[in-house]
Amino acid sequence: MDTFVTFTILGLVLGAVYAIAASGLVLTYSTSGIFNFAHGAQAMLGAFFYWQLRYGWNLPAPIALLLALGVLGPLMGLALYFLIMRGLRDTAEVTKIVVTVSIMLGMLFLSQWFWHPEEPRTLRMFFGDDAKFSLLGATVHVHEVICLVAAIAIAVGLRLLFTRTRMGATMRGVVDDPDLLRLNGHNPERIAGFSWALSSMLAVLAGILVTPISGGTLEANLLTLLVIDAFAAAMFGRLRSIPRTFVGAIVLGLAGTYLLGYGPSTWTWTSNLRVSLPMIALFVVLIVLPQDRLRGAAVRTRERYHVPSVRKAVTWGAALVVIVYLIRLLMVESAITTLTIGMCFAIVALSLTVLTGYAGEMNLAPLSFGAVATIVVYHFGISGSGLAQRLTIVGVLLGVLVAALVGGLVALPALRLRGLYLALATMAFGVFLSNMVLRDTTEHELFGVKFSLFTGGSLVIPPLQIGPLDLGNETTFLMTATVLFAILGVAVVALRNSGYGRRLAAMKDSPAASAMLGQNLVKLKLSVFMISAGIAGLGGILMSSAMGAVSGDSFTIIISLSLLMLTVVAGIGYVSGALFGGVMAGVGFSIIMVSFTNLAKAQPELEGLYLLLGNIAAVSPALIGIGVGHNPSGSVHQVIEGYRKLRDAKPVLIGGAAFVAVLYLLALTGVLGNWWFASLTIVTVFALPVVGEMLMPTAVLGAEEVARRRTTPPELVGIDEPYTQEGRDCLDRELGLPSVPVVPATSASPSSPAQATTGSGSESRSETESVKELTVNAVS
């Protein structure tokens, strides 16, 4: 009985914290239509801030709590909404997800910047660990009672707010019809900002309450993922109902503790299952709950992608292979493997281009399919022993096939899901795989066969060998990965230009219209999921082989989200976007941070500056991801549009190419360092369209656009420049007045009928000028 009461109380307390966190998610989604993936990171940041106030600066607990909940929480929510979230209107679901994911990653890096992860920090319970009493034979801490009371009070308060107050009605109306809300005298922006402030305060409260219960140690990644478990409770209430959210959170808390307390002792994976239980519940809830009906009209967003022809794709693929080989000539041996890993990440990112960029389907865990393929090749695709071990082509194909089948199995129950629900389902799969499979290091026995899935917690993956082609050589591995990416990129472009690709695009624009035209959406979704999972599996195998040995941390959901974020930032609808996103996620920013660290060691007098720049570089991917709301088509799209304008400015293109060639020769001969070569080349690539517009404006912009830019706007005539005939004619056109030709005066008084007519015309014109000047003065 004592055991039952103990686990029941622990489950109720854990469920109460889930309820507090989930209530904040419901609050923001119901008022802005944005699911905040950064909710857990807000909780983490609030817990660290409270620790700093309470234990770092020794402030009294009430004051520290007041500052954390009353100042940091609301300010964080207001800043997020007014600076970022309200600019996400008319963007695709993937853009909204990526922005909140970027905020989450930014907060993680920010916490590691201010609070070094190697320094231990502990939060103690309110009133201390000794503040406890006995209830039915079980020990109950005062902190746990506070959690329960706070959760109940918040649930009741939010329920009354939504159903019994005018503010609650306006909060629900922000998403339903903000224009109608304005007509009734309300400010939708202010109401949504209030909701985000309240939600952020609830997230901070959840982080402060849950940390002592989960062990007290502050660790950024664990605390962020712990609050992510509240996603299942929020979805139990379908992001609308506070009571159902509260019930779902309590059920989750009780189920987890009962499983830990009463699971069979022979189950070696009980603890892993308990950690995975919220994600299992999230997946089941998403499948069971009724979904919204298909929309009959296409959803117009601001994303625009230009798909190249297959011929152009082949040309650019060949150019990529040549460029990588030329870069290889500049690199030291130790850097070749680093670039190879980046190319393997690019292959994984290519799976997102097919699935999300072309078909509009979501996958937040692409590296999980790479993990599946890696496990398969480790057990069934290695030949030889010792240093002579090599991957076999049969094993690689088997791993890709199994990854594709697993992708189909994951997609099969999720076929009825769309948008956010599908994204959460794939995220649940990724977290479940990390917690259940990648942590399974114990030995099992099935039908007399002993095995372990993730043997020893680390898998050693040797390089691939196909006849004379041995990827044990670093240069051979790099060029093979590059050629594979080029081939897959051309195949992806050919797929998009085929009838199958056009069906995918139609499904992305309007599933209902696509179904009405006779398309089988089930087959389309299932097939594109399997294709995407197969590509991700191939990239995962090559990545694991390039690393040599991988652990469960190599495939975490955080890395998958980072890869998705950078691919969307680059342009998820482009093969080149996958290339940029994959390389930057795999090695790009880590190289930059290591470079600043080495510079700090080499120049101690500037150590502070270099460490600051390194921390800024660590946060920069998140800052770039946050800005994707202003450019949802991606940076590649922006660069492509800039170079499209240079088609008639051949001297600028030739000059830019010659300048890069000179830089390369200087770097090849050792005159210019590789760091300076890379920096100057990147600046040249991005600055060339601007330089072309400055040097050859007519060729780049066109004569009409140049004339338009040089013409003073009508409202500035007479202000920025004096009145001229051209200015007067411009005002005539803008005001809709008839243009009157200028007739020079020949005498003071008319002496003939013709002169009399001219005189009346001049008189009429002076009246027109008077009217015009009055109009200009009025406008001014």
Side-chain angles (χ1 to χ4, degrees), residues 503-724:
R503 290 196 295 272
L504 291 180
M507 180 179 67
K508 176 183 178 181
D509 289 340
S510 178
S514 182
M516 288 181 63
L517 292 173
Q519 302 298 328
N520 190 326
L521 298 187
V522 174
K523 287 185 178 180
L524 278 176
K525 287 186 178 183
L526 190 61
S527 61
V528 74
F529 257 99
M530 294 182 69
I531 293 172
S532 174
I535 296 174
L538 176 60
I541 293 172
L542 294 175
M543 180 196 75
S544 302
S545 179
M547 291 180 175
V550 291
S551 64
D553 294 335
S554 304
F555 305 99
T556 61
I557 192 65
I558 299 297
I559 300 178
S560 288
L561 293 176
S562 301
L563 178 62
L564 173 67
M565 177 197 74
L566 289 170
T567 306
V568 172
V569 167
I572 200 167
Y574 294 101
V575 172
S576 51
L579 175 65
F580 176 83
V583 170
M584 295 307 293
V587 297
F589 290 102
S590 61
I591 291 177
I592 296 173
M593 288 184 289
V594 169
S595 299
F596 281 121
T597 303
N598 293 336
L599 287 172
K601 293 179 180 178
Q603 303 181 33
E605 66 278 5
L606 297 176
E607 180 180 4
L609 175 62
Y610 286 129
L611 292 179
L612 174 64
L613 294 176
N615 287 321
I616 293 174
V619 182
S620 59
L623 299 177
I624 295 172
I626 292 171
V628 76
H630 300 288
N631 184 23
S633 298
S635 57
V636 170
H637 176 84
Q638 190 172 4
V639 172
I640 289 175
E641 290 300 311
Y643 275 87
R644 283 179 185 274
K645 299 177 182 178
L646 294 180
R647 287 177 296 187
D648 297 328
K650 300 294 189 216
V652 176
L653 291 174
I654 295 173
F659 180 69
V660 173
V662 171
L663 292 177
Y664 178 80
L665 292 175
L666 293 176
L668 190 62
T669 55
V671 177
L672 190 67
N674 290 346
W675 174 262
W676 283 106
F677 166 72
S679 302
L680 292 174
T681 301
I682 293 173
V683 170
T684 302
V685 169
F686 282 95
L688 201 60
V690 179
V691 173
E693 185 175 324
M694 294 172 58
L695 298 179
M696 302 180 66
T698 304
V700 175
L701 301 175
E704 184 176 349
E705 177 66 17
V706 171
R708 189 189 67 81
R709 291 191 179 189
R710 289 177 178 175
T711 302
T712 303
E715 63 271 15
L716 298 181
V717 172
I719 299 176
D720 281 3
E721 66 175 19
Y723 283 111
T724 61

Side-chain angles (χ1 to χ4, degrees), residues 374-398:
T374 299
I375 293 173
V376 172
V377 297
Y378 174 78
H379 289 287
F380 304 104
I382 297 178
S383 64
S385 61
L387 296 177
Q389 279 189 336
R390 289 293 184 268
L391 285 181
T392 63
I393 185 61
V394 175
V396 173
L397 293 177
L398 180 62

Side-chain angles (χ1 to χ4, degrees), residues 441-458:
T441 59
T442 58
E443 190 176 70
H444 307 283
E445 184 174 351
L446 183 65
F447 302 116
V449 178
K450 295 183 179 180
F451 68 95
S452 60
L453 293 177
F454 217 80
T455 307
S458 178

Side-chain angles (χ1 to χ4, degrees), residues 9 97 125 147 155 263 385 447 462 497 514 544 581 631 673 697 733 745:
I9 293 174
I97 291 173
M125 293 186 176
C147 292
S385 61
F447 302 116
N497 286 303
S514 182
S544 302
N631 184 23
R733 290 193 300 270

Side-chain angles (χ1 to χ4, degrees), residues 98-336:
V98 161
V99 169
T100 55
V101 166
S102 303
I103 295 170
M104 179 188 74
L105 297 175
M107 288 182 174
L108 282 173
F109 293 133
L110 196 64
S111 68
Q112 294 172 2
W113 185 352
F114 289 104
W115 298 280
H116 199 279
E118 294 182 1
E119 181 181 341
R121 297 175 182 84
T122 304
L123 272 184
R124 293 191 293 270
M125 293 186 176
F126 290 154
F127 303 104
D129 296 338
D130 295 331
K132 54 188 176 181
F133 58 91
S134 180
L135 178 65
L136 299 177
T139 301
V140 182
H141 292 86
V142 174
H143 183 93
E144 296 171 338
V145 176
I146 293 174
C147 292
L148 286 171
V149 172
I152 295 172
I154 288 171
V156 173
L158 289 178
R159 175 66 177 174
L160 294 176
L161 175 67
F162 275 119
T163 59
R164 300 295 180 86
T165 65
R166 185 177 181 85
M167 173 61 75
T170 56
M171 289 169 68
R172 286 183 280 116
V174 169
V175 173
D176 294 339
D177 197 334
D179 294 330
L180 183 61
L181 206 61
R182 285 191 184 91
L183 291 176
N184 282 274
H186 298 284
N187 188 335
E189 305 293 348
R190 187 181 302 168
I191 295 169
F194 168 77
S195 302
W196 276 81
L198 183 58
S199 170
S200 181
M201 185 183 71
L202 293 177
V204 172
L205 177 61
I208 295 173
L209 292 178
V210 76
T211 303
I213 297 172
S214 61
T217 303
L218 284 171
E219 205 283 318
N221 288 334
L222 289 179
L223 184 55
T224 299
L225 293 176
L226 183 64
V227 178
I228 283 179
D229 291 344
F231 287 4
M235 293 308 303
F236 192 88
R238 293 204 69 190
L239 297 173
R240 295 188 184 95
S241 172
I242 294 294
R244 286 204 300 267
T245 299
F246 185 84
V247 171
I250 297 299
V251 169
L252 275 178
L254 291 174
T257 54
Y258 286 158
L259 178 64
L260 184 62
Y262 297 101
S265 58
T266 56
W267 290 3
T268 58
W269 37 268
T270 300
S271 60
N272 292 343
L273 181 60
R274 186 193 70 81
V275 175
S276 305
L277 193 61
M279 292 298 104
I280 298 174
L282 174 60
F283 194 86
V284 172
V285 167
L286 289 169
I287 300 302
V288 171
L289 285 181
Q291 306 298 308
D292 297 330
R293 293 183 178 181
L294 289 175
R295 296 183 178 180
V299 180
R300 299 300 179 189
T301 61
R302 290 188 277 125
E303 287 80 1
R304 298 292 182 269
Y305 302 117
H306 298 291
V307 182
S309 64
V310 177
R311 180 178 298 178
K312 286 185 178 179
V314 171
T315 303
W316 283 111
L320 173 66
V321 175
V322 174
I323 291 172
V324 170
Y325 180 76
L326 293 176
I327 293 175
R328 155 65 190 94
L329 298 178
L330 300 177
M331 300 172 65
V332 296
E333 295 294 331
S334 59
I336 298 175

